[in-house]
PDB file of all heavy atoms in Angstrom:
ATOM      1  N   TYR P   1     -15.888  -1.406 -21.154  1.00 98.00           N
ATOM      2  CA  TYR P   1     -14.593  -0.979 -20.701  1.00 98.00           C
ATOM      3  C   TYR P   1     -13.587  -2.120 -20.933  1.00 98.00           C
ATOM      4  O   TYR P   1     -13.984  -3.289 -21.100  1.00 98.00           O
ATOM      5  CB  TYR P   1     -14.599  -0.694 -19.199  1.00 98.00           C
ATOM      6  CG  TYR P   1     -15.314   0.559 -18.793  1.00 98.00           C
ATOM      7  CD1 TYR P   1     -16.717   0.652 -18.872  1.00 98.00           C
ATOM      8  CD2 TYR P   1     -14.623   1.667 -18.308  1.00 98.00           C
ATOM      9  CE1 TYR P   1     -17.391   1.811 -18.464  1.00 98.00           C
ATOM     10  CE2 TYR P   1     -15.285   2.819 -17.893  1.00 98.00           C
ATOM     11  CZ  TYR P   1     -16.662   2.870 -17.983  1.00 98.00           C
ATOM     12  OH  TYR P   1     -17.325   4.015 -17.597  1.00 98.00           O
ATOM     13  N   GLU P   2     -12.321  -1.756 -20.963  1.00 98.00           N
ATOM     14  CA  GLU P   2     -11.255  -2.757 -20.961  1.00 98.00           C
ATOM     15  C   GLU P   2     -10.351  -2.490 -19.769  1.00 98.00           C
ATOM     16  O   GLU P   2     -10.184  -1.339 -19.358  1.00 98.00           O
ATOM     17  CB  GLU P   2     -10.458  -2.707 -22.264  1.00 98.00           C
ATOM     18  CG  GLU P   2     -11.210  -3.223 -23.470  1.00 98.00           C
ATOM     19  CD  GLU P   2     -10.349  -3.324 -24.705  1.00 98.00           C
ATOM     20  OE1 GLU P   2      -9.126  -3.059 -24.606  1.00 98.00           O
ATOM     21  OE2 GLU P   2     -10.891  -3.661 -25.765  1.00 98.00           O
ATOM     22  N   ALA P   3      -9.800  -3.550 -19.206  1.00 98.00           N
ATOM     23  CA  ALA P   3      -8.892  -3.416 -18.076  1.00 98.00           C
ATOM     24  C   ALA P   3      -7.792  -4.471 -18.181  1.00 98.00           C
ATOM     25  O   ALA P   3      -8.019  -5.565 -18.713  1.00 98.00           O
ATOM     26  CB  ALA P   3      -9.645  -3.590 -16.760  1.00 98.00           C
ATOM     27  N   ILE P   4      -6.609  -4.128 -17.690  1.00 98.00           N
ATOM     28  CA  ILE P   4      -5.503  -5.073 -17.613  1.00 98.00           C
ATOM     29  C   ILE P   4      -5.324  -5.461 -16.141  1.00 98.00           C
ATOM     30  O   ILE P   4      -5.241  -4.606 -15.255  1.00 98.00           O
ATOM     31  CB  ILE P   4      -4.198  -4.461 -18.134  1.00 98.00           C
ATOM     32  CG1 ILE P   4      -4.366  -3.937 -19.567  1.00 98.00           C
ATOM     33  CG2 ILE P   4      -3.064  -5.490 -18.057  1.00 98.00           C
ATOM     34  CD1 ILE P   4      -4.690  -4.984 -20.580  1.00 98.00           C
ATOM     35  N   ALA P   5      -5.308  -6.768 -15.882  1.00 98.00           N
ATOM     36  CA  ALA P   5      -5.120  -7.284 -14.525  1.00 98.00           C
ATOM     37  C   ALA P   5      -4.495  -8.670 -14.614  1.00 98.00           C
ATOM     38  O   ALA P   5      -4.335  -9.241 -15.700  1.00 98.00           O
ATOM     39  CB  ALA P   5      -6.450  -7.331 -13.774  1.00 98.00           C
ATOM     40  N   SER P   6      -4.138  -9.207 -13.466  1.00 97.00           N
ATOM     41  CA  SER P   6      -3.571 -10.549 -13.427  1.00 97.00           C
ATOM     42  C   SER P   6      -4.534 -11.566 -13.993  1.00 97.00           C
ATOM     43  O   SER P   6      -5.758 -11.360 -13.971  1.00 97.00           O
ATOM     44  CB  SER P   6      -3.221 -10.923 -11.975  1.00 97.00           C
ATOM     45  OG  SER P   6      -2.263 -10.044 -11.431  1.00 97.00           O
ATOM     46  N   TRP P   7      -3.978 -12.653 -14.470  1.00 97.00           N
ATOM     47  CA  TRP P   7      -4.804 -13.734 -15.009  1.00 97.00           C
ATOM     48  C   TRP P   7      -5.017 -14.807 -13.947  1.00 97.00           C
ATOM     49  O   TRP P   7      -4.061 -15.212 -13.281  1.00 97.00           O
ATOM     50  CB  TRP P   7      -4.169 -14.339 -16.241  1.00 97.00           C
ATOM     51  CG  TRP P   7      -4.803 -15.611 -16.704  1.00 97.00           C
ATOM     52  CD1 TRP P   7      -4.244 -16.852 -16.827  1.00 97.00           C
ATOM     53  CD2 TRP P   7      -6.167 -15.771 -17.140  1.00 97.00           C
ATOM     54  NE1 TRP P   7      -5.140 -17.766 -17.292  1.00 97.00           N
ATOM     55  CE2 TRP P   7      -6.352 -17.138 -17.497  1.00 97.00           C
ATOM     56  CE3 TRP P   7      -7.264 -14.905 -17.243  1.00 97.00           C
ATOM     57  CZ2 TRP P   7      -7.559 -17.641 -17.961  1.00 97.00           C
ATOM     58  CZ3 TRP P   7      -8.478 -15.398 -17.695  1.00 97.00           C
ATOM     59  CH2 TRP P   7      -8.615 -16.746 -18.052  1.00 97.00           C
ATOM     60  N   ARG P   8      -6.233 -15.220 -13.763  1.00 94.00           N
ATOM     61  CA  ARG P   8      -6.558 -16.313 -12.842  1.00 94.00           C
ATOM     62  C   ARG P   8      -7.271 -17.408 -13.635  1.00 94.00           C
ATOM     63  O   ARG P   8      -8.416 -17.236 -14.069  1.00 94.00           O
ATOM     64  CB  ARG P   8      -7.489 -15.834 -11.711  1.00 94.00           C
ATOM     65  CG  ARG P   8      -6.798 -15.047 -10.615  1.00 94.00           C
ATOM     66  CD  ARG P   8      -7.784 -14.703  -9.503  1.00 94.00           C
ATOM     67  NE  ARG P   8      -8.413 -15.914  -8.995  1.00 94.00           N
ATOM     68  CZ  ARG P   8      -9.414 -15.921  -8.091  1.00 94.00           C
ATOM     69  NH1 ARG P   8      -9.866 -14.750  -7.626  1.00 94.00           N
ATOM     70  NH2 ARG P   8      -9.932 -17.046  -7.672  1.00 94.00           N
ATOM     71  N   ASP P   9      -6.583 -18.553 -13.838  1.00 92.00           N
ATOM     72  CA  ASP P   9      -7.191 -19.617 -14.630  1.00 92.00           C
ATOM     73  C   ASP P   9      -8.216 -20.419 -13.839  1.00 92.00           C
ATOM     74  O   ASP P   9      -8.858 -21.326 -14.388  1.00 92.00           O
ATOM     75  CB  ASP P   9      -6.121 -20.537 -15.228  1.00 92.00           C
ATOM     76  CG  ASP P   9      -5.181 -21.109 -14.188  1.00 92.00           C
ATOM     77  OD1 ASP P   9      -5.487 -21.002 -12.978  1.00 92.00           O
ATOM     78  OD2 ASP P   9      -4.137 -21.668 -14.583  1.00 92.00           O
ATOM     79  N   ASP P  10      -8.344 -20.120 -12.517  1.00 95.00           N
ATOM     80  CA  ASP P  10      -9.349 -20.808 -11.733  1.00 95.00           C
ATOM     81  C   ASP P  10     -10.721 -20.149 -11.792  1.00 95.00           C
ATOM     82  O   ASP P  10     -11.708 -20.691 -11.322  1.00 95.00           O
ATOM     83  CB  ASP P  10      -8.889 -20.902 -10.273  1.00 95.00           C
ATOM     84  CG  ASP P  10      -8.677 -19.535  -9.648  1.00 95.00           C
ATOM     85  OD1 ASP P  10      -8.122 -18.652 -10.334  1.00 95.00           O
ATOM     86  OD2 ASP P  10      -9.079 -19.344  -8.483  1.00 95.00           O
ATOM     87  N   LEU P  11     -10.782 -18.952 -12.387  1.00 95.00           N
ATOM     88  CA  LEU P  11     -12.072 -18.280 -12.540  1.00 95.00           C
ATOM     89  C   LEU P  11     -12.740 -18.742 -13.827  1.00 95.00           C
ATOM     90  O   LEU P  11     -12.112 -18.863 -14.876  1.00 95.00           O
ATOM     91  CB  LEU P  11     -11.871 -16.773 -12.589  1.00 95.00           C
ATOM     92  CG  LEU P  11     -11.613 -16.041 -11.296  1.00 95.00           C
ATOM     93  CD1 LEU P  11     -11.434 -14.543 -11.565  1.00 95.00           C
ATOM     94  CD2 LEU P  11     -12.725 -16.243 -10.291  1.00 95.00           C
ATOM     95  N   VAL P  12     -14.039 -18.994 -13.749  1.00 96.00           N
ATOM     96  CA  VAL P  12     -14.797 -19.361 -14.918  1.00 96.00           C
ATOM     97  C   VAL P  12     -15.385 -18.102 -15.532  1.00 96.00           C
ATOM     98  O   VAL P  12     -16.195 -17.409 -14.904  1.00 96.00           O
ATOM     99  CB  VAL P  12     -15.915 -20.361 -14.567  1.00 96.00           C
ATOM    100  CG1 VAL P  12     -16.729 -20.693 -15.828  1.00 96.00           C
ATOM    101  CG2 VAL P  12     -15.335 -21.624 -13.953  1.00 96.00           C
ATOM    102  N   LEU P  13     -14.951 -17.761 -16.727  1.00 97.00           N
ATOM    103  CA  LEU P  13     -15.410 -16.563 -17.419  1.00 97.00           C
ATOM    104  C   LEU P  13     -16.175 -16.913 -18.666  1.00 97.00           C
ATOM    105  O   LEU P  13     -15.873 -17.924 -19.313  1.00 97.00           O
ATOM    106  CB  LEU P  13     -14.200 -15.669 -17.758  1.00 97.00           C
ATOM    107  CG  LEU P  13     -13.415 -15.145 -16.579  1.00 97.00           C
ATOM    108  CD1 LEU P  13     -12.164 -14.429 -17.049  1.00 97.00           C
ATOM    109  CD2 LEU P  13     -14.254 -14.206 -15.721  1.00 97.00           C
ATOM    110  N   PRO P  14     -17.179 -16.119 -19.064  1.00 97.00           N
ATOM    111  CA  PRO P  14     -17.575 -14.865 -18.438  1.00 97.00           C
ATOM    112  C   PRO P  14     -18.335 -15.093 -17.134  1.00 97.00           C
ATOM    113  O   PRO P  14     -18.874 -16.175 -16.898  1.00 97.00           O
ATOM    114  CB  PRO P  14     -18.495 -14.235 -19.490  1.00 97.00           C
ATOM    115  CG  PRO P  14     -19.056 -15.398 -20.235  1.00 97.00           C
ATOM    116  CD  PRO P  14     -17.954 -16.415 -20.290  1.00 97.00           C
ATOM    117  N   LEU P  15     -18.345 -14.060 -16.290  1.00 98.00           N
ATOM    118  CA  LEU P  15     -19.081 -14.094 -15.019  1.00 98.00           C
ATOM    119  C   LEU P  15     -19.728 -12.745 -14.787  1.00 98.00           C
ATOM    120  O   LEU P  15     -19.366 -11.743 -15.410  1.00 98.00           O
ATOM    121  CB  LEU P  15     -18.150 -14.477 -13.856  1.00 98.00           C
ATOM    122  CG  LEU P  15     -16.956 -13.568 -13.491  1.00 98.00           C
ATOM    123  CD1 LEU P  15     -17.394 -12.335 -12.684  1.00 98.00           C
ATOM    124  CD2 LEU P  15     -15.944 -14.343 -12.684  1.00 98.00           C
ATOM    125  N   THR P  16     -20.678 -12.730 -13.875  1.00 98.00           N
ATOM    126  CA  THR P  16     -21.331 -11.491 -13.481  1.00 98.00           C
ATOM    127  C   THR P  16     -21.114 -11.271 -11.991  1.00 98.00           C
ATOM    128  O   THR P  16     -21.484 -12.129 -11.176  1.00 98.00           O
ATOM    129  CB  THR P  16     -22.848 -11.544 -13.775  1.00 98.00           C
ATOM    130  OG1 THR P  16     -23.037 -11.729 -15.174  1.00 98.00           O
ATOM    131  CG2 THR P  16     -23.510 -10.239 -13.356  1.00 98.00           C
ATOM    132  N   ARG P  17     -20.502 -10.175 -11.650  1.00 98.00           N
ATOM    133  CA  ARG P  17     -20.267  -9.805 -10.248  1.00 98.00           C
ATOM    134  C   ARG P  17     -21.428  -8.939  -9.771  1.00 98.00           C
ATOM    135  O   ARG P  17     -21.676  -7.863 -10.368  1.00 98.00           O
ATOM    136  CB  ARG P  17     -18.941  -9.050 -10.085  1.00 98.00           C
ATOM    137  CG  ARG P  17     -18.598  -8.681  -8.636  1.00 98.00           C
ATOM    138  CD  ARG P  17     -18.191  -9.893  -7.831  1.00 98.00           C
ATOM    139  NE  ARG P  17     -17.822  -9.544  -6.462  1.00 98.00           N
ATOM    140  CZ  ARG P  17     -17.287 -10.404  -5.616  1.00 98.00           C
ATOM    141  NH1 ARG P  17     -17.057 -11.659  -5.995  1.00 98.00           N
ATOM    142  NH2 ARG P  17     -17.000 -10.036  -4.373  1.00 98.00           N
ATOM    143  N   GLN P  18     -22.114  -9.394  -8.729  1.00 98.00           N
ATOM    144  CA  GLN P  18     -23.224  -8.652  -8.179  1.00 98.00           C
ATOM    145  C   GLN P  18     -22.976  -8.437  -6.680  1.00 98.00           C
ATOM    146  O   GLN P  18     -22.702  -9.400  -5.966  1.00 98.00           O
ATOM    147  CB  GLN P  18     -24.542  -9.402  -8.346  1.00 98.00           C
ATOM    148  CG  GLN P  18     -24.883  -9.703  -9.797  1.00 98.00           C
ATOM    149  CD  GLN P  18     -26.258 -10.330  -9.935  1.00 98.00           C
ATOM    150  OE1 GLN P  18     -27.265  -9.703  -9.616  1.00 98.00           O
ATOM    151  NE2 GLN P  18     -26.298 -11.566 -10.402  1.00 98.00           N
ATOM    152  N   SER P  19     -23.055  -7.196  -6.216  1.00 98.00           N
ATOM    153  CA  SER P  19     -22.793  -6.934  -4.800  1.00 98.00           C
ATOM    154  C   SER P  19     -23.409  -5.592  -4.427  1.00 98.00           C
ATOM    155  O   SER P  19     -23.971  -4.881  -5.261  1.00 98.00           O
ATOM    156  CB  SER P  19     -21.291  -6.922  -4.521  1.00 98.00           C
ATOM    157  OG  SER P  19     -20.674  -5.818  -5.166  1.00 98.00           O
ATOM    158  N   ARG P  20     -23.247  -5.254  -3.170  1.00 98.00           N
ATOM    159  CA  ARG P  20     -23.668  -3.947  -2.681  1.00 98.00           C
ATOM    160  C   ARG P  20     -22.412  -3.125  -2.395  1.00 98.00           C
ATOM    161  O   ARG P  20     -21.558  -3.518  -1.590  1.00 98.00           O
ATOM    162  CB  ARG P  20     -24.515  -4.070  -1.408  1.00 98.00           C
ATOM    163  CG  ARG P  20     -25.015  -2.714  -0.903  1.00 98.00           C
ATOM    164  CD  ARG P  20     -26.083  -2.866   0.174  1.00 98.00           C
ATOM    165  NE  ARG P  20     -26.634  -1.577   0.536  1.00 98.00           N
ATOM    166  CZ  ARG P  20     -27.572  -0.929  -0.144  1.00 98.00           C
ATOM    167  NH1 ARG P  20     -28.041  -1.479  -1.268  1.00 98.00           N
ATOM    168  NH2 ARG P  20     -28.039   0.240   0.227  1.00 98.00           N
ATOM    169  N   ILE P  21     -22.304  -1.963  -3.053  1.00 98.00           N
ATOM    170  CA  ILE P  21     -21.140  -1.079  -2.878  1.00 98.00           C
ATOM    171  C   ILE P  21     -21.579   0.202  -2.196  1.00 98.00           C
ATOM    172  O   ILE P  21     -22.546   0.842  -2.621  1.00 98.00           O
ATOM    173  CB  ILE P  21     -20.474  -0.755  -4.250  1.00 98.00           C
ATOM    174  CG1 ILE P  21     -19.875  -2.022  -4.878  1.00 98.00           C
ATOM    175  CG2 ILE P  21     -19.396   0.309  -4.094  1.00 98.00           C
ATOM    176  CD1 ILE P  21     -19.259  -1.815  -6.243  1.00 98.00           C
ATOM    177  N   VAL P  22     -20.856   0.567  -1.125  1.00 97.00           N
ATOM    178  CA  VAL P  22     -21.138   1.796  -0.399  1.00 97.00           C
ATOM    179  C   VAL P  22     -19.823   2.473  -0.068  1.00 97.00           C
ATOM    180  O   VAL P  22     -18.746   1.910  -0.256  1.00 97.00           O
ATOM    181  CB  VAL P  22     -21.907   1.513   0.925  1.00 97.00           C
ATOM    182  CG1 VAL P  22     -23.252   0.870   0.640  1.00 97.00           C
ATOM    183  CG2 VAL P  22     -21.076   0.645   1.864  1.00 97.00           C
ATOM    184  N   GLU P  23     -19.917   3.702   0.420  1.00 95.00           N
ATOM    185  CA  GLU P  23     -18.709   4.461   0.787  1.00 95.00           C
ATOM    186  C   GLU P  23     -18.000   3.788   1.953  1.00 95.00           C
ATOM    187  O   GLU P  23     -18.640   3.328   2.901  1.00 95.00           O
ATOM    188  CB  GLU P  23     -19.096   5.897   1.147  1.00 95.00           C
ATOM    189  CG  GLU P  23     -17.926   6.808   1.377  1.00 95.00           C
ATOM    190  CD  GLU P  23     -18.338   8.260   1.551  1.00 95.00           C
ATOM    191  OE1 GLU P  23     -18.969   8.817   0.638  1.00 95.00           O
ATOM    192  OE2 GLU P  23     -18.065   8.821   2.655  1.00 95.00           O
ATOM    193  N   ALA P  24     -16.675   3.727   1.879  1.00 94.00           N
ATOM    194  CA  ALA P  24     -15.874   3.067   2.906  1.00 94.00           C
ATOM    195  C   ALA P  24     -15.459   4.069   3.981  1.00 94.00           C
ATOM    196  O   ALA P  24     -15.944   5.216   4.032  1.00 94.00           O
ATOM    197  CB  ALA P  24     -14.659   2.414   2.273  1.00 94.00           C
ATOM    198  N   HIS P  25     -14.509   3.678   4.841  1.00 89.00           N
ATOM    199  CA  HIS P  25     -14.075   4.521   5.947  1.00 89.00           C
ATOM    200  C   HIS P  25     -13.333   5.775   5.484  1.00 89.00           C
ATOM    201  O   HIS P  25     -13.266   6.760   6.207  1.00 89.00           O
ATOM    202  CB  HIS P  25     -13.161   3.706   6.865  1.00 89.00           C
ATOM    203  CG  HIS P  25     -11.922   3.191   6.184  1.00 89.00           C
ATOM    204  ND1 HIS P  25     -11.945   2.095   5.328  1.00 89.00           N
ATOM    205  CD2 HIS P  25     -10.642   3.653   6.177  1.00 89.00           C
ATOM    206  CE1 HIS P  25     -10.729   1.886   4.851  1.00 89.00           C
ATOM    207  NE2 HIS P  25      -9.938   2.805   5.337  1.00 89.00           N
ATOM    208  N   HIS P  26     -12.763   5.722   4.272  1.00 89.00           N
ATOM    209  CA  HIS P  26     -12.045   6.856   3.723  1.00 89.00           C
ATOM    210  C   HIS P  26     -12.878   7.430   2.574  1.00 89.00           C
ATOM    211  O   HIS P  26     -13.435   6.704   1.768  1.00 89.00           O
ATOM    212  CB  HIS P  26     -10.683   6.415   3.196  1.00 89.00           C
ATOM    213  CG  HIS P  26      -9.744   7.526   2.844  1.00 89.00           C
ATOM    214  ND1 HIS P  26      -9.893   8.260   1.686  1.00 89.00           N
ATOM    215  CD2 HIS P  26      -8.671   8.036   3.492  1.00 89.00           C
ATOM    216  CE1 HIS P  26      -8.954   9.190   1.617  1.00 89.00           C
ATOM    217  NE2 HIS P  26      -8.198   9.087   2.706  1.00 89.00           N
ATOM    218  N   PHE P  27     -12.962   8.788   2.503  1.00 85.00           N
ATOM    219  CA  PHE P  27     -13.847   9.424   1.519  1.00 85.00           C
ATOM    220  C   PHE P  27     -13.458   9.085   0.074  1.00 85.00           C
ATOM    221  O   PHE P  27     -14.298   9.205  -0.836  1.00 85.00           O
ATOM    222  CB  PHE P  27     -13.845  10.951   1.711  1.00 85.00           C
ATOM    223  CG  PHE P  27     -12.606  11.635   1.208  1.00 85.00           C
ATOM    224  CD1 PHE P  27     -12.561  12.214  -0.060  1.00 85.00           C
ATOM    225  CD2 PHE P  27     -11.437  11.695   1.985  1.00 85.00           C
ATOM    226  CE1 PHE P  27     -11.443  12.841  -0.529  1.00 85.00           C
ATOM    227  CE2 PHE P  27     -10.311  12.335   1.522  1.00 85.00           C
ATOM    228  CZ  PHE P  27     -10.302  12.905   0.267  1.00 85.00           C
ATOM    229  N   MET P  28     -12.242   8.648  -0.143  1.00 88.00           N
ATOM    230  CA  MET P  28     -11.794   8.305  -1.495  1.00 88.00           C
ATOM    231  C   MET P  28     -12.240   6.912  -1.915  1.00 88.00           C
ATOM    232  O   MET P  28     -12.183   6.550  -3.097  1.00 88.00           O
ATOM    233  CB  MET P  28     -10.254   8.372  -1.581  1.00 88.00           C
ATOM    234  CG  MET P  28      -9.702   9.773  -1.588  1.00 88.00           C
ATOM    235  SD  MET P  28     -10.002  10.604  -3.170  1.00 88.00           S
ATOM    236  CE  MET P  28      -8.956   9.629  -4.253  1.00 88.00           C
ATOM    237  N   LEU P  29     -12.655   6.086  -0.954  1.00 95.00           N
ATOM    238  CA  LEU P  29     -12.843   4.658  -1.218  1.00 95.00           C
ATOM    239  C   LEU P  29     -14.295   4.197  -1.131  1.00 95.00           C
ATOM    240  O   LEU P  29     -15.094   4.765  -0.372  1.00 95.00           O
ATOM    241  CB  LEU P  29     -11.990   3.834  -0.250  1.00 95.00           C
ATOM    242  CG  LEU P  29     -10.485   4.093  -0.254  1.00 95.00           C
ATOM    243  CD1 LEU P  29      -9.807   3.291   0.838  1.00 95.00           C
ATOM    244  CD2 LEU P  29      -9.895   3.778  -1.612  1.00 95.00           C
ATOM    245  N   GLN P  30     -14.590   3.154  -1.860  1.00 96.00           N
ATOM    246  CA  GLN P  30     -15.825   2.413  -1.773  1.00 96.00           C
ATOM    247  C   GLN P  30     -15.495   0.967  -1.390  1.00 96.00           C
ATOM    248  O   GLN P  30     -14.361   0.515  -1.586  1.00 96.00           O
ATOM    249  CB  GLN P  30     -16.556   2.418  -3.121  1.00 96.00           C
ATOM    250  CG  GLN P  30     -16.840   3.784  -3.711  1.00 96.00           C
ATOM    251  CD  GLN P  30     -17.925   4.527  -2.996  1.00 96.00           C
ATOM    252  OE1 GLN P  30     -17.664   5.404  -2.194  1.00 96.00           O
ATOM    253  NE2 GLN P  30     -19.166   4.153  -3.261  1.00 96.00           N
ATOM    254  N   HIS P  31     -16.475   0.234  -0.893  1.00 97.00           N
ATOM    255  CA  HIS P  31     -16.243  -1.182  -0.633  1.00 97.00           C
ATOM    256  C   HIS P  31     -17.549  -1.949  -0.670  1.00 97.00           C
ATOM    257  O   HIS P  31     -18.641  -1.382  -0.643  1.00 97.00           O
ATOM    258  CB  HIS P  31     -15.503  -1.383   0.708  1.00 97.00           C
ATOM    259  CG  HIS P  31     -16.321  -1.019   1.918  1.00 97.00           C
ATOM    260  ND1 HIS P  31     -15.987  -1.449   3.184  1.00 97.00           N
ATOM    261  CD2 HIS P  31     -17.431  -0.250   2.067  1.00 97.00           C
ATOM    262  CE1 HIS P  31     -16.875  -0.963   4.060  1.00 97.00           C
ATOM    263  NE2 HIS P  31     -17.745  -0.230   3.414  1.00 97.00           N
ATOM    264  N   GLU P  32     -17.400  -3.273  -0.750  1.00 97.00           N
ATOM    265  CA  GLU P  32     -18.576  -4.155  -0.788  1.00 97.00           C
ATOM    266  C   GLU P  32     -19.025  -4.472   0.639  1.00 97.00           C
ATOM    267  O   GLU P  32     -18.204  -4.680   1.520  1.00 97.00           O
ATOM    268  CB  GLU P  32     -18.235  -5.452  -1.529  1.00 97.00           C
ATOM    269  CG  GLU P  32     -17.993  -5.273  -3.015  1.00 97.00           C
ATOM    270  CD  GLU P  32     -17.779  -6.602  -3.728  1.00 97.00           C
ATOM    271  OE1 GLU P  32     -17.180  -7.515  -3.112  1.00 97.00           O
ATOM    272  OE2 GLU P  32     -18.205  -6.727  -4.869  1.00 97.00           O
ATOM    273  N   VAL P  33     -20.359  -4.515   0.821  1.00 97.00           N
ATOM    274  CA  VAL P  33     -20.945  -4.883   2.094  1.00 97.00           C
ATOM    275  C   VAL P  33     -22.101  -5.813   1.805  1.00 97.00           C
ATOM    276  O   VAL P  33     -22.545  -5.970   0.671  1.00 97.00           O
ATOM    277  CB  VAL P  33     -21.430  -3.650   2.881  1.00 97.00           C
ATOM    278  CG1 VAL P  33     -20.271  -2.723   3.228  1.00 97.00           C
ATOM    279  CG2 VAL P  33     -22.502  -2.896   2.116  1.00 97.00           C
ATOM    280  N   SER P  34     -22.591  -6.459   2.864  1.00 97.00           N
ATOM    281  CA  SER P  34     -23.768  -7.304   2.703  1.00 97.00           C
ATOM    282  C   SER P  34     -25.004  -6.447   2.529  1.00 97.00           C
ATOM    283  O   SER P  34     -25.030  -5.292   2.967  1.00 97.00           O
ATOM    284  CB  SER P  34     -23.931  -8.233   3.906  1.00 97.00           C
ATOM    285  OG  SER P  34     -24.065  -7.477   5.093  1.00 97.00           O
ATOM    286  N   GLY P  35     -26.013  -6.981   1.881  1.00 97.00           N
ATOM    287  CA  GLY P  35     -27.239  -6.227   1.677  1.00 97.00           C
ATOM    288  C   GLY P  35     -27.711  -6.315   0.247  1.00 97.00           C
ATOM    289  O   GLY P  35     -27.086  -7.009  -0.607  1.00 97.00           O
ATOM    290  N   PRO P  36     -28.819  -5.647  -0.077  1.00 98.00           N
ATOM    291  CA  PRO P  36     -29.383  -5.691  -1.426  1.00 98.00           C
ATOM    292  C   PRO P  36     -28.369  -5.251  -2.481  1.00 98.00           C
ATOM    293  O   PRO P  36     -27.633  -4.288  -2.293  1.00 98.00           O
ATOM    294  CB  PRO P  36     -30.568  -4.730  -1.349  1.00 98.00           C
ATOM    295  CG  PRO P  36     -30.920  -4.670   0.107  1.00 98.00           C
ATOM    296  CD  PRO P  36     -29.623  -4.819   0.830  1.00 98.00           C
ATOM    297  N   VAL P  37     -28.347  -5.963  -3.595  1.00 98.00           N
ATOM    298  CA  VAL P  37     -27.424  -5.657  -4.684  1.00 98.00           C
ATOM    299  C   VAL P  37     -27.722  -4.284  -5.289  1.00 98.00           C
ATOM    300  O   VAL P  37     -28.882  -3.956  -5.575  1.00 98.00           O
ATOM    301  CB  VAL P  37     -27.514  -6.736  -5.777  1.00 98.00           C
ATOM    302  CG1 VAL P  37     -26.753  -6.322  -7.035  1.00 98.00           C
ATOM    303  CG2 VAL P  37     -26.978  -8.065  -5.254  1.00 98.00           C
ATOM    304  N   ASN P  38     -26.675  -3.478  -5.464  1.00 97.00           N
ATOM    305  CA  ASN P  38     -26.834  -2.202  -6.167  1.00 97.00           C
ATOM    306  C   ASN P  38     -25.755  -1.979  -7.219  1.00 97.00           C
ATOM    307  O   ASN P  38     -25.697  -0.911  -7.824  1.00 97.00           O
ATOM    308  CB  ASN P  38     -26.831  -1.022  -5.174  1.00 97.00           C
ATOM    309  CG  ASN P  38     -25.496  -0.844  -4.455  1.00 97.00           C
ATOM    310  OD1 ASN P  38     -24.543  -1.608  -4.675  1.00 97.00           O
ATOM    311  ND2 ASN P  38     -25.406   0.158  -3.595  1.00 97.00           N
ATOM    312  N   ALA P  39     -24.904  -3.013  -7.424  1.00 97.00           N
ATOM    313  CA  ALA P  39     -23.819  -2.895  -8.413  1.00 97.00           C
ATOM    314  C   ALA P  39     -23.657  -4.211  -9.165  1.00 97.00           C
ATOM    315  O   ALA P  39     -23.474  -5.260  -8.539  1.00 97.00           O
ATOM    316  CB  ALA P  39     -22.522  -2.488  -7.714  1.00 97.00           C
ATOM    317  N   ILE P  40     -23.725  -4.142 -10.462  1.00 97.00           N
ATOM    318  CA  ILE P  40     -23.618  -5.349 -11.301  1.00 97.00           C
ATOM    319  C   ILE P  40     -22.644  -5.097 -12.436  1.00 97.00           C
ATOM    320  O   ILE P  40     -22.756  -4.101 -13.167  1.00 97.00           O
ATOM    321  CB  ILE P  40     -24.995  -5.726 -11.906  1.00 97.00           C
ATOM    322  CG1 ILE P  40     -26.050  -5.914 -10.803  1.00 97.00           C
ATOM    323  CG2 ILE P  40     -24.897  -6.986 -12.761  1.00 97.00           C
ATOM    324  CD1 ILE P  40     -27.450  -6.120 -11.340  1.00 97.00           C
ATOM    325  N   THR P  41     -21.657  -5.984 -12.598  1.00 98.00           N
ATOM    326  CA  THR P  41     -20.656  -5.887 -13.663  1.00 98.00           C
ATOM    327  C   THR P  41     -20.489  -7.222 -14.337  1.00 98.00           C
ATOM    328  O   THR P  41     -20.320  -8.254 -13.670  1.00 98.00           O
ATOM    329  CB  THR P  41     -19.296  -5.436 -13.108  1.00 98.00           C
ATOM    330  OG1 THR P  41     -19.432  -4.201 -12.408  1.00 98.00           O
ATOM    331  CG2 THR P  41     -18.283  -5.268 -14.239  1.00 98.00           C
ATOM    332  N   GLN P  42     -20.497  -7.230 -15.671  1.00 98.00           N
ATOM    333  CA  GLN P  42     -20.222  -8.428 -16.432  1.00 98.00           C
ATOM    334  C   GLN P  42     -18.739  -8.430 -16.810  1.00 98.00           C
ATOM    335  O   GLN P  42     -18.217  -7.427 -17.280  1.00 98.00           O
ATOM    336  CB  GLN P  42     -21.097  -8.483 -17.679  1.00 98.00           C
ATOM    337  CG  GLN P  42     -22.577  -8.555 -17.345  1.00 98.00           C
ATOM    338  CD  GLN P  42     -23.485  -8.332 -18.554  1.00 98.00           C
ATOM    339  OE1 GLN P  42     -23.042  -7.820 -19.572  1.00 98.00           O
ATOM    340  NE2 GLN P  42     -24.741  -8.707 -18.427  1.00 98.00           N
TER     341      GLN P  42
END
């Protein structure tokens, strides 16, 4: 995928984001919580 977002020169790229994503308080939303990793993005 490609995405346009703000630039942060303090981030070291490339990186891998690993977290646990579950449904949030609103049915339209997801959010990260503590627990076993189920979502990985490079």
